[in-house]
Amino acid sequence: MRAHGVTRQAVAGIVAEPQHTRPGYRGATIYAGASLEVVVAEDGATVLAVYPRTPQPAPADDPPRAPARPARRGRTARPARTIPSGGREFLRLLTDHGFQITTDTSRHRRVTHPDHPGAVVVTPSSPVITGGR
């Protein structure tokens, strides 16, 4: 505290008359002064930390809206992407993107991509049954 020019009297003054308080970690309380914040343990007597206060803007009744993004020039709108609804459509989408699909003897499909050697995703070749009997 001495290295930063903080005195015990300043810390005691902030704890005695804080601008505001807020809960801290594990029952601690954070006391805010004009330029410092003091963290006091749950016992109310042990000072855990003293650090410079970062100014926080006062909360507004209605938060400001983000400005509208300007329209991009020279680009056309892309078609909406849809999620495949069936297995064949999913497999076609994978092969369209360069994936290789092989079926092994255990009725599973192995999905690989030449750009990622050694990476393999195994999927069932039969539909997945959800729910109980």
Side-chain angles (χ1 to χ4, degrees), residues 6-67:
V6 179
T7 64
R8 286 182 176 202
Q9 291 80 13
V11 172
I14 292 170
V15 173
E17 295 182 31
Q19 289 183 353
H20 65 84
T21 62
R22 67 181 190 274
Y25 183 70
R26 292 195 176 188
T29 304
I30 301 172
Y31 296 85
S35 61
L36 295 174
E37 289 191 345
V38 179
V39 181
V40 178
E42 187 176 22
D43 65 7
T46 306
V47 174
L48 300 174
V50 178
Y51 51 89
R53 182 172 177 206
T54 53
Q56 299 289 329
D61 292 336
D62 291 325
R65 292 185 174 200

Side-chain angles (χ1 to χ4, degrees), residues 18-109:
Q19 289 183 353
H20 65 84
T21 62
R22 67 181 190 274
Y25 183 70
R26 292 195 176 188
T29 304
I30 301 172
Y31 296 85
S35 61
L36 295 174
E37 289 191 345
V38 179
V39 181
V40 178
E42 187 176 22
D43 65 7
T46 306
V47 174
L48 300 174
V50 178
Y51 51 89
R53 182 172 177 206
T54 53
Q56 299 289 329
D61 292 336
D62 291 325
R65 292 185 174 200
R69 294 177 71 184
R72 292 183 176 179
R73 294 183 181 164
R75 292 191 177 190
T76 58
R78 287 189 264 175
R81 294 183 184 173
T82 58
I83 297 174
S85 59
R88 287 186 182 146
E89 187 179 352
F90 177 67
L91 294 175
R92 183 186 52 78
L93 183 65
L94 286 173
T95 55
D96 288 349
H97 286 281
F99 288 88
Q100 298 167 345
I101 302 166
T102 57
T103 305
D104 61 14
T105 59
S106 65
R107 298 183 58 200
H108 287 81
R109 292 186 181 109

Side-chain angles (χ1 to χ4, degrees), residues 102-124:
T102 57
T103 305
D104 61 14
T105 59
S106 65
R107 298 183 58 200
H108 287 81
R109 292 186 181 109
R110 295 173 53 88
V111 181
T112 58
H113 197 281
D115 292 345
H116 304 282
V120 178
V121 176
V122 179
T123 63

